[in-house]
Amino acid sequence: MDNAEEIYNAKLERLEVAAAAKEPDRVPIGINTTYFPAKYAGVSYEDMFHDNNKYIEVMAKFARDFNWDGYNSLRSFESVPLGLALAGYDPDLAIGVAVSSVLAGGASHDILADVYSSNPGRELGKNVESQFVMEKPVMNNDEYDNLIKQPFEFLMKTVIPRAYKNLADLDSPKGVGTLLKMGQELAKFPAFFGEFLGKMKQEAWLPWYLALTPNPLDFIGAWLRDFDTLTLDLYRMPEKVKAACEALTGVLAAVGKLTGAISKSATGSRRVFCPTWYNTYLSPEQYREFHFPYIKRIVNELVEADFTPLLCFQGRMDHLLDTLTELPEGKVILWFDKTDLSKVREVVGDKYCIAGGILSSLLISGTPQQVKDHMKETINKYKPGGGYIVTTEFNGMGDAKIENVKAMTEAVMEYGKY
Amino acid sequence: MSFEAITNAIKELEEEKVLKLVKEQLDKGEDPIKILDACRKGMTEIGNSSGDTVFLTDLIMAGEIFNEVMEILLPKLVKDSTKSLGKVVIGTVEGDIHNIGKDITINFLKAEGFNVIDLGVDVPPQKFVDAIKEHNPPVVGMSGLLTLSIEPMKKAVEAITSANLRDKVKVIIGGERTDQGVCDYVGADAWVNDAIDGVKIIKKWVGGA
């Protein structure tokens, strides 16, 4: 195989077969690389984040040199609430606004002045990865009912002015001007995205994921209430939290399908990234009460619409494994961070695709030989019968040593063949 | 019996009940130190069940209740009437702005009776060095949620070594992405993935537990 289209088709097939819990020609490798392509190409994180030409350059170079089955480096998520607030008014516009920060870099952060993210070359040093931590909650204790009754109105009128400093007063020249600037930026997006896809196709690139949707509890925790206050809400007002999750489930499933459709038409990938975050911290009872029911509904809706949910269970999931087999067999990818993968295999058997097995700490502090040995052992353990994808923890690549990432790649090619 | 009720209410995370009982005991003229001890006992028992029947959300709620109790008790406690187990300097390392693991550790260290100096998040190496010089703690805790916090942990330990302070303190690192390999790489004395394990190690080092 030497032409890009054949290589691309082989990757697409390999990932799809593995996702169906079957044996492809080789164990696929799919990774969220975050800023590693910048480090590899000798470009600053700041430039990768803010300069779209540099972004394309480092992404293409990484695709060419490593040739993984899937990888992506989405940038940030700060425009998501603004997009969501528009979802009842114009779904296409809403998605455009939401993905503007995900794909098109730091412009929306600079224009909106959000309270969510800290970015390289802005709040952080020029080679520090973006982080997403709210300064303080943008929804108050007594506002759950407003969110539950009229989510879009509540988001636009109450949350947006608090979440974006430049939209604090939507009626002011600054507020209107900020929206117009966002419009100008959005107008540039199709040209950038077209150029990005064109260049990446030449490199036979396929994303690990391009589409995404959060689940209700994590959305409330990351964008509305912040981690600590939502945790206390679970004890102080559990019924309100559940009603809010209920109110958001449909719209978040729709976000998954709409972004999934963009991904499918642009890259062929049917995977929809469904990150889960709170799971690590919840008791099994809390997980079954506040988190899993809504995740399951979104997953089922995505599967019915012929998408493949890529469930990224961040942190540790060891105490919640019994819920996994309630998800549709052979239709989802179960991706783990620090959860014991061999226990997962015991629980889900050969009916589900699992992804994981590479710890970022090894890529950072290990030697190429240690990486190779670990890869050999891991691949040999999970490869039999298919349904296994090599990946690292979510956002685990940042400070990895380049020689270790090369050793990992070589090991997949050497030991991964069926 | 009533102190036991406070301990149990803390263990059960019954916020309103705890606050009500604490106020009742104070109104009855009970010694605030005894009330505090009852709360601490509840916190210790929660810590001991961590990872088994107690999960991180429970630890956050317990910390919140304990802080609310302290707000009530603090004005009633005569200064220095409670014995400190020792000082701990703690912070989230440079480049990382996550506070959850650090804050849980702090709440439970305080509940155990440690005097905690919280350096906050995104703490540069020099700030750890300055805090050691100023407070002379036996233990320094470095927290970091992300992979990107591994290098800054290493730099902070190096800065402590360069300032000739490394043999004066024990360094413990905590965070989801730490393990023995990271601990060796960073040059720390211990590592934990779990805040409560961190408190236990620190107690073993300086609290005599």
Side-chain angles (χ1 to χ4, degrees), chain A residues 201-245:
Chain A
K201 272 203 176 122
Q202 290 171 16
E203 310 298 345
W205 171 78
L206 201 64
W208 176 221
Y209 56 87
L210 191 68
L212 70 154
T213 191
N215 62 75
L217 191 71
D218 289 340
F219 176 79
I220 297 169
W223 276 286
L224 302 179
R225 288 290 279 160
D226 93 7
F227 184 86
D228 288 10
T229 52
L230 177 57
T231 300
L232 301 178
D233 294 344
L234 300 180
Y235 296 87
R236 289 171 174 163
M237 41 185 136
E239 295 309 318
K240 302 249 186 233
V241 174
K242 279 186 277 182
C245 288

Short mmCIF file of all heavy atoms in Angstrom, two decimals, chain A residues 201-245:
data_model
loop_
_atom_site.label_atom_id
_atom_site.label_comp_id
_atom_site.label_asym_id
_atom_site.label_seq_id
_atom_site.Cartn_x
_atom_site.Cartn_y
_atom_site.Cartn_z
N LYS A 201 -5.60 14.69 4.37
CA LYS A 201 -5.96 13.55 3.52
C LYS A 201 -4.75 13.06 2.74
O LYS A 201 -4.58 11.85 2.53
CB LYS A 201 -7.09 13.93 2.58
CG LYS A 201 -8.43 13.69 3.25
CD LYS A 201 -9.57 13.51 2.29
CE LYS A 201 -10.82 13.17 3.10
NZ LYS A 201 -11.92 14.09 2.91
N GLN A 202 -3.91 14.00 2.32
CA GLN A 202 -2.68 13.61 1.61
C GLN A 202 -1.79 12.73 2.49
O GLN A 202 -0.96 11.98 2.01
CB GLN A 202 -1.89 14.84 1.20
CG GLN A 202 -2.56 15.66 0.10
CD GLN A 202 -1.83 16.99 -0.12
OE1 GLN A 202 -0.70 17.18 0.32
NE2 GLN A 202 -2.50 17.91 -0.80
N GLU A 203 -1.94 12.90 3.79
CA GLU A 203 -1.12 12.10 4.72
C GLU A 203 -1.88 10.88 5.23
O GLU A 203 -1.46 10.24 6.20
CB GLU A 203 -0.69 12.95 5.93
CG GLU A 203 -0.07 14.30 5.59
CD GLU A 203 1.22 14.17 4.79
OE1 GLU A 203 1.78 13.06 4.73
OE2 GLU A 203 1.63 15.18 4.21
N ALA A 204 -3.00 10.57 4.60
CA ALA A 204 -3.81 9.40 5.00
C ALA A 204 -4.26 9.48 6.44
O ALA A 204 -4.36 8.48 7.14
CB ALA A 204 -3.05 8.09 4.74
N TRP A 205 -4.53 10.68 6.89
CA TRP A 205 -4.90 10.89 8.29
C TRP A 205 -6.35 10.51 8.56
O TRP A 205 -7.24 10.76 7.75
CB TRP A 205 -4.70 12.35 8.66
CG TRP A 205 -5.25 12.75 10.01
CD1 TRP A 205 -4.66 12.50 11.22
CD2 TRP A 205 -6.45 13.48 10.29
NE1 TRP A 205 -5.43 13.04 12.24
CE2 TRP A 205 -6.53 13.64 11.70
CE3 TRP A 205 -7.46 14.03 9.50
CZ2 TRP A 205 -7.58 14.32 12.32
CZ3 TRP A 205 -8.50 14.70 10.13
CH2 TRP A 205 -8.57 14.84 11.53
N LEU A 206 -6.54 9.93 9.73
CA LEU A 206 -7.88 9.66 10.23
C LEU A 206 -7.89 10.11 11.69
O LEU A 206 -6.93 9.87 12.41
CB LEU A 206 -8.14 8.16 10.13
CG LEU A 206 -9.57 7.67 10.12
CD1 LEU A 206 -10.30 8.18 8.89
CD2 LEU A 206 -9.59 6.15 10.14
N PRO A 207 -8.95 10.77 12.11
CA PRO A 207 -8.95 11.20 13.52
C PRO A 207 -9.26 10.02 14.44
O PRO A 207 -10.02 9.12 14.07
CB PRO A 207 -10.09 12.22 13.58
CG PRO A 207 -11.04 11.78 12.51
CD PRO A 207 -10.20 11.17 11.42
N TRP A 208 -8.67 10.03 15.62
CA TRP A 208 -9.11 9.09 16.67
C TRP A 208 -10.56 9.49 17.00
O TRP A 208 -11.43 8.67 17.10
CB TRP A 208 -8.17 9.22 17.84
CG TRP A 208 -8.43 8.45 19.11
CD1 TRP A 208 -8.27 8.94 20.37
CD2 TRP A 208 -8.81 7.08 19.28
NE1 TRP A 208 -8.55 7.96 21.30
CE2 TRP A 208 -8.88 6.81 20.66
CE3 TRP A 208 -9.10 6.04 18.38
CZ2 TRP A 208 -9.25 5.56 21.18
CZ3 TRP A 208 -9.46 4.79 18.89
CH2 TRP A 208 -9.54 4.56 20.27
N TYR A 209 -10.78 10.79 17.11
CA TYR A 209 -12.15 11.29 17.13
C TYR A 209 -12.17 12.74 16.68
O TYR A 209 -11.21 13.48 16.86
CB TYR A 209 -12.79 11.18 18.51
CG TYR A 209 -12.02 11.84 19.64
CD1 TYR A 209 -12.20 13.19 19.95
CD2 TYR A 209 -11.11 11.12 20.40
CE1 TYR A 209 -11.50 13.79 20.97
CE2 TYR A 209 -10.41 11.72 21.43
CZ TYR A 209 -10.60 13.05 21.71
OH TYR A 209 -9.89 13.64 22.72
N LEU A 210 -13.27 13.10 16.06
CA LEU A 210 -13.47 14.49 15.65
C LEU A 210 -14.78 15.00 16.24
O LEU A 210 -14.94 16.16 16.56
CB LEU A 210 -13.51 14.57 14.12
CG LEU A 210 -13.43 15.96 13.51
CD1 LEU A 210 -12.06 16.58 13.74
CD2 LEU A 210 -13.67 15.87 11.99
N ALA A 211 -15.74 14.07 16.37
CA ALA A 211 -17.04 14.42 16.94
C ALA A 211 -17.01 14.19 18.44
O ALA A 211 -16.25 13.35 18.92
CB ALA A 211 -18.12 13.54 16.32
N LEU A 212 -17.83 14.91 19.16
CA LEU A 212 -17.87 14.69 20.60
C LEU A 212 -19.14 15.20 21.22
O LEU A 212 -19.80 16.07 20.67
CB LEU A 212 -16.67 15.35 21.30
CG LEU A 212 -16.64 16.87 21.36
CD1 LEU A 212 -15.82 17.31 22.55
CD2 LEU A 212 -16.03 17.45 20.09
N THR A 213 -19.46 14.63 22.37
CA THR A 213 -20.51 15.21 23.21
C THR A 213 -20.26 14.84 24.66
O THR A 213 -19.86 13.71 24.96
CB THR A 213 -21.92 14.77 22.76
OG1 THR A 213 -22.87 15.58 23.47
CG2 THR A 213 -22.20 13.31 23.05
N PRO A 214 -20.46 15.79 25.56
CA PRO A 214 -20.34 15.46 26.98
C PRO A 214 -21.63 14.83 27.48
O PRO A 214 -22.64 14.85 26.79
CB PRO A 214 -20.12 16.81 27.64
CG PRO A 214 -20.78 17.80 26.75
CD PRO A 214 -20.77 17.22 25.36
N ASN A 215 -21.61 14.26 28.67
CA ASN A 215 -22.85 13.78 29.30
C ASN A 215 -23.32 14.85 30.29
O ASN A 215 -22.55 15.74 30.67
CB ASN A 215 -22.59 12.44 29.98
CG ASN A 215 -21.56 12.57 31.07
OD1 ASN A 215 -21.83 13.09 32.14
ND2 ASN A 215 -20.34 12.14 30.78
N PRO A 216 -24.58 14.78 30.70
CA PRO A 216 -25.14 15.89 31.50
C PRO A 216 -24.38 16.19 32.80
O PRO A 216 -24.07 17.35 33.08
CB PRO A 216 -26.56 15.42 31.81
CG PRO A 216 -26.90 14.48 30.70
CD PRO A 216 -25.63 13.80 30.33
N LEU A 217 -24.07 15.16 33.58
CA LEU A 217 -23.42 15.44 34.88
C LEU A 217 -22.07 16.13 34.68
O LEU A 217 -21.76 17.12 35.35
CB LEU A 217 -23.25 14.15 35.69
CG LEU A 217 -22.85 14.39 37.15
CD1 LEU A 217 -24.00 14.98 37.96
CD2 LEU A 217 -22.35 13.11 37.80
N ASP A 218 -21.28 15.62 33.76
CA ASP A 218 -19.97 16.23 33.51
C ASP A 218 -20.11 17.63 32.93
O ASP A 218 -19.32 18.52 33.23
CB ASP A 218 -19.15 15.36 32.55
CG ASP A 218 -18.69 14.07 33.20
OD1 ASP A 218 -18.67 14.01 34.44
OD2 ASP A 218 -18.36 13.13 32.47
N PHE A 219 -21.14 17.82 32.10
CA PHE A 219 -21.36 19.16 31.54
C PHE A 219 -21.65 20.15 32.67
O PHE A 219 -21.08 21.24 32.71
CB PHE A 219 -22.51 19.15 30.53
CG PHE A 219 -22.84 20.52 30.00
CD1 PHE A 219 -22.06 21.11 29.02
CD2 PHE A 219 -23.90 21.24 30.54
CE1 PHE A 219 -22.34 22.39 28.57
CE2 PHE A 219 -24.19 22.52 30.09
CZ PHE A 219 -23.41 23.10 29.10
N ILE A 220 -22.52 19.75 33.59
CA ILE A 220 -22.85 20.65 34.70
C ILE A 220 -21.61 20.92 35.55
O ILE A 220 -21.33 22.04 35.95
CB ILE A 220 -23.98 20.05 35.57
CG1 ILE A 220 -25.27 19.91 34.75
CG2 ILE A 220 -24.24 20.93 36.80
CD1 ILE A 220 -26.36 19.09 35.43
N GLY A 221 -20.81 19.86 35.77
CA GLY A 221 -19.62 20.00 36.61
C GLY A 221 -18.52 20.82 35.96
O GLY A 221 -17.79 21.53 36.63
N ALA A 222 -18.40 20.72 34.65
CA ALA A 222 -17.29 21.41 33.97
C ALA A 222 -17.67 22.82 33.52
O ALA A 222 -16.82 23.70 33.46
CB ALA A 222 -16.83 20.60 32.76
N TRP A 223 -18.95 23.03 33.18
CA TRP A 223 -19.31 24.31 32.57
C TRP A 223 -20.24 25.19 33.40
O TRP A 223 -20.36 26.37 33.14
CB TRP A 223 -19.95 24.08 31.20
CG TRP A 223 -18.96 23.92 30.10
CD1 TRP A 223 -18.21 24.92 29.53
CD2 TRP A 223 -18.61 22.73 29.40
NE1 TRP A 223 -17.41 24.40 28.53
CE2 TRP A 223 -17.64 23.07 28.43
CE3 TRP A 223 -19.03 21.40 29.50
CZ2 TRP A 223 -17.09 22.13 27.55
CZ3 TRP A 223 -18.47 20.47 28.63
CH2 TRP A 223 -17.52 20.84 27.68
N LEU A 224 -20.94 24.60 34.37
CA LEU A 224 -21.93 25.40 35.09
C LEU A 224 -21.62 25.56 36.58
O LEU A 224 -21.63 26.66 37.11
CB LEU A 224 -23.33 24.79 34.92
CG LEU A 224 -23.83 24.63 33.48
CD1 LEU A 224 -25.22 23.99 33.47
CD2 LEU A 224 -23.89 25.98 32.77
N ARG A 225 -21.35 24.44 37.26
CA ARG A 225 -21.27 24.50 38.72
C ARG A 225 -19.85 24.35 39.27
O ARG A 225 -19.61 24.69 40.41
CB ARG A 225 -22.13 23.39 39.33
CG ARG A 225 -23.61 23.63 39.20
CD ARG A 225 -24.06 24.76 40.09
NE ARG A 225 -24.27 24.35 41.47
CZ ARG A 225 -24.28 25.20 42.48
NH1 ARG A 225 -24.04 26.48 42.28
NH2 ARG A 225 -24.49 24.78 43.70
N ASP A 226 -18.97 23.83 38.59
CA ASP A 226 -17.60 23.44 38.96
C ASP A 226 -17.62 22.15 39.80
O ASP A 226 -18.65 21.77 40.34
CB ASP A 226 -16.76 24.58 39.56
CG ASP A 226 -16.76 24.71 41.08
OD1 ASP A 226 -17.32 23.84 41.77
OD2 ASP A 226 -16.20 25.70 41.55
N PHE A 227 -16.48 21.52 39.85
CA PHE A 227 -16.41 20.16 40.40
C PHE A 227 -16.88 20.09 41.86
O PHE A 227 -17.72 19.27 42.23
CB PHE A 227 -14.98 19.61 40.28
CG PHE A 227 -14.87 18.20 40.74
CD1 PHE A 227 -15.13 17.16 39.85
CD2 PHE A 227 -14.55 17.88 42.05
CE1 PHE A 227 -15.05 15.84 40.27
CE2 PHE A 227 -14.48 16.57 42.47
CZ PHE A 227 -14.73 15.56 41.58
N ASP A 228 -16.33 20.96 42.69
CA ASP A 228 -16.63 20.88 44.12
C ASP A 228 -18.09 21.18 44.42
O ASP A 228 -18.73 20.47 45.20
CB ASP A 228 -15.75 21.87 44.91
CG ASP A 228 -14.31 21.41 44.97
OD1 ASP A 228 -13.96 20.46 44.26
OD2 ASP A 228 -13.53 22.02 45.73
N THR A 229 -18.62 22.24 43.83
CA THR A 229 -20.00 22.61 44.18
C THR A 229 -20.99 21.57 43.67
O THR A 229 -21.96 21.25 44.36
CB THR A 229 -20.40 24.00 43.63
OG1 THR A 229 -20.12 24.04 42.25
CG2 THR A 229 -19.69 25.12 44.33
N LEU A 230 -20.74 21.01 42.48
CA LEU A 230 -21.65 19.97 42.00
C LEU A 230 -21.58 18.74 42.92
O LEU A 230 -22.59 18.10 43.20
CB LEU A 230 -21.34 19.57 40.54
CG LEU A 230 -22.21 18.43 40.00
CD1 LEU A 230 -23.69 18.73 40.09
CD2 LEU A 230 -21.84 18.12 38.54
N THR A 231 -20.38 18.44 43.40
CA THR A 231 -20.25 17.32 44.34
C THR A 231 -21.13 17.54 45.57
O THR A 231 -21.84 16.64 46.00
CB THR A 231 -18.77 17.16 44.77
OG1 THR A 231 -18.00 16.90 43.60
CG2 THR A 231 -18.59 16.03 45.76
N LEU A 232 -21.11 18.74 46.11
CA LEU A 232 -21.94 19.03 47.29
C LEU A 232 -23.42 18.98 46.92
O LEU A 232 -24.25 18.54 47.72
CB LEU A 232 -21.56 20.39 47.88
CG LEU A 232 -20.09 20.54 48.31
CD1 LEU A 232 -19.82 21.94 48.84
CD2 LEU A 232 -19.70 19.50 49.35
N ASP A 233 -23.75 19.40 45.70
CA ASP A 233 -25.15 19.33 45.25
C ASP A 233 -25.69 17.90 45.27
O ASP A 233 -26.87 17.68 45.52
CB ASP A 233 -25.30 19.86 43.81
CG ASP A 233 -25.00 21.35 43.70
OD1 ASP A 233 -24.98 22.03 44.74
OD2 ASP A 233 -24.79 21.82 42.55
N LEU A 234 -24.81 16.93 44.99
CA LEU A 234 -25.24 15.53 44.99
C LEU A 234 -25.81 15.13 46.35
O LEU A 234 -26.66 14.26 46.45
CB LEU A 234 -24.09 14.59 44.63
CG LEU A 234 -23.40 14.77 43.28
CD1 LEU A 234 -22.29 13.75 43.11
CD2 LEU A 234 -24.38 14.65 42.12
N TYR A 235 -25.29 15.76 47.42
CA TYR A 235 -25.76 15.46 48.77
C TYR A 235 -26.90 16.39 49.20
O TYR A 235 -27.79 16.00 49.92
CB TYR A 235 -24.60 15.60 49.77
CG TYR A 235 -23.51 14.59 49.53
CD1 TYR A 235 -22.47 14.85 48.64
CD2 TYR A 235 -23.54 13.36 50.18
CE1 TYR A 235 -21.49 13.92 48.40
CE2 TYR A 235 -22.54 12.41 49.95
CZ TYR A 235 -21.52 12.70 49.06
OH TYR A 235 -20.56 11.77 48.82
N ARG A 236 -26.82 17.65 48.74
CA ARG A 236 -27.75 18.66 49.25
C ARG A 236 -29.02 18.77 48.43
O ARG A 236 -30.07 19.14 48.95
CB ARG A 236 -27.06 20.03 49.30
CG ARG A 236 -26.02 20.12 50.38
CD ARG A 236 -25.21 21.39 50.26
NE ARG A 236 -24.30 21.54 51.39
CZ ARG A 236 -23.26 22.37 51.39
NH1 ARG A 236 -23.00 23.12 50.33
NH2 ARG A 236 -22.48 22.45 52.44
N MET A 237 -28.93 18.54 47.12
CA MET A 237 -30.13 18.63 46.28
C MET A 237 -30.11 17.60 45.15
O MET A 237 -30.12 17.96 43.97
CB MET A 237 -30.32 20.05 45.76
CG MET A 237 -29.06 20.75 45.29
SD MET A 237 -29.44 22.46 44.84
CE MET A 237 -28.09 23.32 45.60
N PRO A 238 -30.09 16.32 45.54
CA PRO A 238 -29.96 15.26 44.53
C PRO A 238 -31.07 15.26 43.48
O PRO A 238 -30.79 15.02 42.29
CB PRO A 238 -30.00 13.98 45.37
CG PRO A 238 -30.57 14.36 46.69
CD PRO A 238 -30.19 15.78 46.91
N GLU A 239 -32.30 15.58 43.88
CA GLU A 239 -33.40 15.53 42.91
C GLU A 239 -33.25 16.60 41.84
O GLU A 239 -33.55 16.39 40.66
CB GLU A 239 -34.76 15.67 43.63
CG GLU A 239 -35.07 14.51 44.56
CD GLU A 239 -34.92 13.14 43.91
OE1 GLU A 239 -35.34 12.99 42.75
OE2 GLU A 239 -34.34 12.23 44.55
N LYS A 240 -32.77 17.77 42.25
CA LYS A 240 -32.55 18.86 41.28
C LYS A 240 -31.46 18.48 40.28
O LYS A 240 -31.57 18.75 39.09
CB LYS A 240 -32.13 20.15 42.00
CG LYS A 240 -33.13 20.62 43.02
CD LYS A 240 -33.80 21.89 42.58
CE LYS A 240 -34.68 22.43 43.69
NZ LYS A 240 -36.05 22.68 43.26
N VAL A 241 -30.39 17.87 40.79
CA VAL A 241 -29.30 17.48 39.89
C VAL A 241 -29.82 16.49 38.84
O VAL A 241 -29.55 16.63 37.64
CB VAL A 241 -28.11 16.86 40.67
CG1 VAL A 241 -27.05 16.34 39.72
CG2 VAL A 241 -27.51 17.88 41.63
N LYS A 242 -30.60 15.53 39.30
CA LYS A 242 -31.12 14.53 38.35
C LYS A 242 -32.07 15.17 37.33
O LYS A 242 -32.03 14.84 36.14
CB LYS A 242 -31.83 13.40 39.12
CG LYS A 242 -30.85 12.38 39.66
CD LYS A 242 -31.55 11.19 40.27
CE LYS A 242 -31.96 11.50 41.70
NZ LYS A 242 -32.60 10.39 42.38
N ALA A 243 -32.92 16.09 37.81
CA ALA A 243 -33.84 16.74 36.88
C ALA A 243 -33.07 17.57 35.84
O ALA A 243 -33.44 17.63 34.66
CB ALA A 243 -34.82 17.63 37.64
N ALA A 244 -31.97 18.19 36.26
CA ALA A 244 -31.16 18.96 35.32
C ALA A 244 -30.49 18.03 34.31
O ALA A 244 -30.43 18.33 33.10
CB ALA A 244 -30.10 19.77 36.07
N CYS A 245 -30.01 16.88 34.76
CA CYS A 245 -29.41 15.90 33.85
C CYS A 245 -30.46 15.44 32.83
O CYS A 245 -30.16 15.30 31.64
CB CYS A 245 -28.87 14.70 34.63
SG CYS A 245 -27.39 15.07 35.58
#
